[in-house]
Amino acid sequence: MRVIPSNYTKKAELPLKLKISFESIFNYLEEIIEDKNHYLFHTAKQLLEEYENYSILRKGFDDFSYLTKYRKEIDKLLNILFPEPLQSNEIKAASIPFEFTAFKFSKRFQQILDDAGNDYEFKLRNFDESNIYILACTFILAYHYKIKIDFRRPFFFDIPNKKTGLTKHYRTLYNGDFFKITPLKKTKPITNEDVKFLIDNFNNIDVWKEKFPPNSYEFKGFGIMNLFDVTPDESISKLKENLLKKNHQTFDFLESSISSLFNSSNIKFGFSSYNLSHKKANIKYHKEQKSFIIPDKSDFSIDDFFCKSIKSTVFDNGELLAISNIEKYGKETNYNKLYKTLKKQKIQSIILVPLKLSNKMFGLMELVSKNKYELNSINAYKLKDIIPVFKVALQRYTEEFQNKLESIIQKNYTSIHPTVEWRFYEEAEKYYYEAEKSDNNTPNLQDIIFKNVIPLYGQCDIKGSSIARNKAIKEDLVKQLNLASEIILEAKNRYKLPIYNDLTFRIDKCLNNITNGLKSSDETNLISFLQKDIYPVFNHLKSLDSNLKNKIDSYTQQIDTKLCVIYDKRKKYEESVNTLNEELAKFIDNKQIEAQDMFPHYFERYKTDGIDYNIYIGQTLVKNHNYNDIYLQNLRLWQLQTMCEMENIAHNLKNSLAYPLEVASLILVHSTPLTIKFRMDEKRFDVDGAYNIRYEIIKKRIDKALLKNSKERLTQPGKIAIVYSQDKDAEEYIKYIKYLQANNYLLNDGSIEKVELADLQGISGLKALRININYSNNSEEKITFDDLINLMKLDA
């Protein structure tokens, strides 16, 4: 008989005194000899006579070394519980609870331990030693008081097999028929009230020790531990657990779990993901991802690689496919590329499990073996339970992968307009795969460039914003200086100190400077003067005179704590600007939604003192649309109509703002295609190339442009200015103007101003149309393609 002592080095304190006894066996034998017809009568009688001199085995002992001393006797005595016909089937052993000593193993159990090797430690996988005292208490409640309070999880042994290289998993069940638990002297019985109290104090070990003092009960006997092979269930559980892990070793763990599931260390696991795009499929894989189908390639076409049967079954119908004989498959497919790839790796059988996640993302689980027929359509059924979890895990992986791409984009490109987002994802994906394949060198992100695009530019600028802002600042500063002056003058009248004359003089000088014209440094100088020279005096005056203290406190309450100045008029001005900007921005953002539905285009908007925006349209910006000039014409008409509507919003807000503000609108027409490039340093698009830079220069300067031979500004409230350089552009826009006049967006007063602009620095020859806006227009009609086509026909 083999005895395996406890592998737990710490001797636990318990409410139980443990005594090993085989009294239950002796009682059973005595019952048998009462019936002379019992088939075990002679065996039982012989054993009882043989063991008359071994009373210690019946009385019991707490010295566990006696298990070895009486090894042969105990082994023979327990044979009655280990019948020979079941020795090779049952996984069973006698054991002592809470001390973890095991003895008398069935033959199958003994073989399992022998195959585990000499270095294997016979220990429970998930046993929490810290709760052993409470566990023993619930044991007493269950077996002595017949009260079931069971917080235990199922216990498992993970036992390796040195021969196969696999680890098997066994769940334990405990038979309690061969022991009894009795309270020792002076032990107080447990009441129902005690039980109710205990179940509410699970973590309070002191409470349990109070009700079950150490060594207050005796355990006498032994237990029978039965093990059940739950390796398939555990393998599936492990597979699910590993699938949901975020670990670079996930694929190694999956392979180990699948080997256990199929009970073969020959089976290997691989995975390949496919990014489907129209008729072509690109296969992508990464460092932590192993594929047997594509071990040395990262990009190829499905049509050239797989046979028609696999394409139909796996990719089209999404059905699992098993090939049990690769040689036979090779003959049937004329030795196609898949066969050659598998043959090169000596793979003889394979299971392919398709996982379609979306229209673009597709994954394949690959199970391979170098043995013919080891993988087949029958044992492929084992995968049924894990396929849904694998799909969830792959979905999570896809989302994480998408997040990685977005992280690259956000880090390097900032926020990207949806129309051109596809191009950034292409570049980010390329960057990601190159980085995954490279161990040392970090790849470079390539420039994002779109050629042959037509720009549209517009602005709805607050008229005289700089003057209005300076006026608001000046009024606040003047008010602040006057309040300070009043306090100093009263102090001078009361205390007749010459220093107050000097301070009054310096305050008046600041007032004169600000009144005569605000300079950029005036506000900073004023704050410095007040903090250095005035406020120390204020602090002194507050301690001298309660009346002056009240005035100084009133002054302080009007000062903004962050800006250190009075922030009244300027606040009202800035709130007015913000309100106007928000309304205009919200409007054009909403209008952009319908404009994008007409044809996708790039749009970026900025809020300054008003709104200005860039639009680019062209074939290279879009992936799955066909561009036509009709979309450009439609967008130009949309832009002009939207500008009229924005003017009406600003006009209607004017009287409700604390600072009445007016806007002046401008559109720049440019018909020559440009190339735009995403500038990494500025995280925005800009024109690319020396010739195209002229367009950007015009954009930056035209809002200050004057009419030729005049001091009149081009942009004026109540008018929209359309700047152009080619007469054909003017002719096109006159059609749109007439259309919008007919629909009451523009005043139909018969006059369309045609003006020439004064030369700007490095720019000459620009012209403009100016038209008056109809501020009484309440039309909510939308531009349609039919409107545009009819407009083109009318003027053809």
Side-chain angles (χ1 to χ4, degrees), residues 401 421 747:
F401 172 63
E421 193 175 50
L747 287 177

Side-chain angles (χ1 to χ4, degrees), residues 244-296:
L244 299 176
K245 277 183 179 178
K246 295 183 178 180
N247 192 309
H248 69 280
Q249 294 180 313
T250 295
F251 285 90
D252 292 334
F253 292 145
L254 287 175
E255 185 169 272
S256 174
S257 299
I258 287 176
S259 294
S260 296
L261 179 64
F262 283 84
N263 197 28
S264 172
S265 58
N266 298 318
I267 295 174
K268 305 298 180 184
F269 170 79
F271 174 74
S272 51
S273 57
Y274 300 70
N275 192 355
L276 302 178
S277 177
H278 302 292
K279 295 181 180 179
K280 184 180 179 183
N282 297 322
I283 300 178
K284 307 292 184 184
Y285 64 98
H286 316 289
K287 283 182 179 179
E288 71 273 14
Q289 179 179 322
K290 179 171 59 179
S291 172
F292 296 95
I293 293 177
I294 46 170
D296 54 1

Side-chain angles (χ1 to χ4, degrees), residues 370-414:
K370 293 186 177 182
N371 298 329
K372 286 183 181 180
Y373 307 113
E374 185 165 26
L375 293 172
N376 52 68
S377 61
I378 295 177
N379 58 18
Y381 190 76
K382 292 184 176 184
L383 299 170
K384 182 179 179 181
D385 292 329
I386 68 165
I387 289 174
V389 184
F390 201 102
K391 187 173 182 178
V392 170
L394 190 54
Q395 182 70 56
R396 188 208 69 203
Y397 160 79
T398 304
E399 291 172 357
E400 289 177 355
F401 172 63
Q402 195 77 359
N403 290 337
K404 288 178 182 178
L405 297 188
E406 289 178 3
S407 175
I408 294 170
I409 291 171
Q410 291 295 327
K411 180 180 177 181
N412 295 280
Y413 301 117
T414 194

Side-chain angles (χ1 to χ4, degrees), residues 14-24 56-64 67 93-101 103 135-144 152 174-185 187 213-225:
L14 294 172
L16 287 167
K17 281 187 174 182
L18 299 176
K19 180 182 285 189
I20 300 174
S21 166
F22 301 99
E23 184 176 15
S24 58
I56 191 171
L57 297 182
R58 184 164 193 162
K59 288 170 54 180
F61 51 85
D62 54 17
D63 185 351
F64 281 37
L67 286 171
S95 69
I96 306 302
F98 312 113
E99 206 281 334
F100 306 106
T101 293
F103 54 97
L135 178 62
C137 294
T138 63
F139 190 81
I140 296 168
L141 287 172
Y143 287 101
H144 177 68
R152 296 171 298 170
Y174 205 77
N175 187 323
D177 293 336
F178 305 101
F179 63 81
K180 61 181 180 180
I181 294 174
T182 54
L184 298 176
K185 292 182 179 179
T187 298
N215 300 316
S216 56
Y217 291 80
E218 180 185 67
F219 171 93
K220 185 179 181 181
F222 65 95
I224 294 293
M225 175 176 60

Side-chain angles (χ1 to χ4, degrees), residues 37 59 80 100 153 193 207 238 275 278 325 334 408 545 556 705 709 713 779:
N37 295 320
K59 288 170 54 180
I80 197 168
F100 306 106
R153 298 179 298 166
E193 292 301 316
V207 170
K238 272 289 183 185
N275 192 355
H278 302 292
N325 188 336
N334 196 26
I408 294 170
D545 191 302
T556 303
N709 301 322
R713 287 277 292 269
S779 174

Side-chain angles (χ1 to χ4, degrees), residues 91-312:
I91 310 172
K92 185 165 68 173
S95 69
I96 306 302
F98 312 113
E99 206 281 334
F100 306 106
T101 293
F103 54 97
K104 184 58 178 177
F105 295 86
S106 66
K107 288 182 179 178
R108 184 180 175 191
F109 203 158
Q110 186 63 56
Q111 187 62 53
I112 289 171
L113 293 175
D114 291 343
D115 291 341
N118 295 328
D119 56 346
Y120 170 68
E121 286 191 352
F122 188 61
K123 294 181 73 171
L124 288 167
R125 177 211 304 168
N126 55 339
F127 183 74
D128 185 357
E129 290 185 71
S130 64
N131 284 323
I132 191 170
Y133 197 97
I134 298 175
L135 178 62
C137 294
T138 63
F139 190 81
I140 296 168
L141 287 172
Y143 287 101
H144 177 68
Y145 293 101
K146 310 304 179 185
I147 297 171
K148 294 291 184 181
I149 300 179
D150 189 3
F151 74 90
R152 296 171 298 170
R153 298 179 298 166
F155 292 138
F156 295 91
F157 286 100
D158 302 319
I159 306 178
N161 188 313
K162 292 287 187 180
K163 296 177 181 178
T164 64
L166 299 174
T167 296
K168 290 209 166 188
H169 311 283
Y170 301 90
R171 181 174 177 175
T172 64
L173 287 180
Y174 205 77
N175 187 323
D177 293 336
F178 305 101
F179 63 81
K180 61 181 180 180
I181 294 174
T182 54
L184 298 176
K185 292 182 179 179
K186 298 183 180 180
T187 298
K188 293 181 179 179
I190 300 297
T191 65
N192 289 333
E193 292 301 316
D194 290 333
V195 173
K196 292 176 183 178
F197 183 68
L198 288 168
I199 62 177
D200 288 331
N201 289 275
F202 170 73
N203 292 317
N204 193 337
I205 187 66
D206 294 332
V207 170
W208 289 90
K209 285 187 174 181
E210 179 188 342
K211 302 299 180 183
F212 297 91
N215 300 316
S216 56
Y217 291 80
E218 180 185 67
F219 171 93
K220 185 179 181 181
F222 65 95
I224 294 293
M225 175 176 60
N226 292 276
L227 268 59
F228 298 90
D229 189 347
V230 291
T231 302
D233 293 336
E234 279 286 293
S235 298
I236 291 174
S237 178
K238 272 289 183 185
L239 274 168
K240 293 178 179 180
E241 179 184 338
N242 290 329
L243 282 169
L244 299 176
K245 277 183 179 178
K246 295 183 178 180
N247 192 309
H248 69 280
Q249 294 180 313
T250 295
F251 285 90
D252 292 334
F253 292 145
L254 287 175
E255 185 169 272
S256 174
S257 299
I258 287 176
S259 294
S260 296
L261 179 64
F262 283 84
N263 197 28
S264 172
S265 58
N266 298 318
I267 295 174
K268 305 298 180 184
F269 170 79
F271 174 74
S272 51
S273 57
Y274 300 70
N275 192 355
L276 302 178
S277 177
H278 302 292
K279 295 181 180 179
K280 184 180 179 183
N282 297 322
I283 300 178
K284 307 292 184 184
Y285 64 98
H286 316 289
K287 283 182 179 179
E288 71 273 14
Q289 179 179 322
K290 179 171 59 179
S291 172
F292 296 95
I293 293 177
I294 46 170
D296 54 1
K297 292 185 179 180
S298 62
D299 202 324
F300 63 85
S301 171
I302 285 177
D303 293 335
D304 296 335
F305 192 81
F306 295 103
C307 67
K308 290 182 180 179
S309 177
I310 289 180
K311 285 187 290 184
S312 173

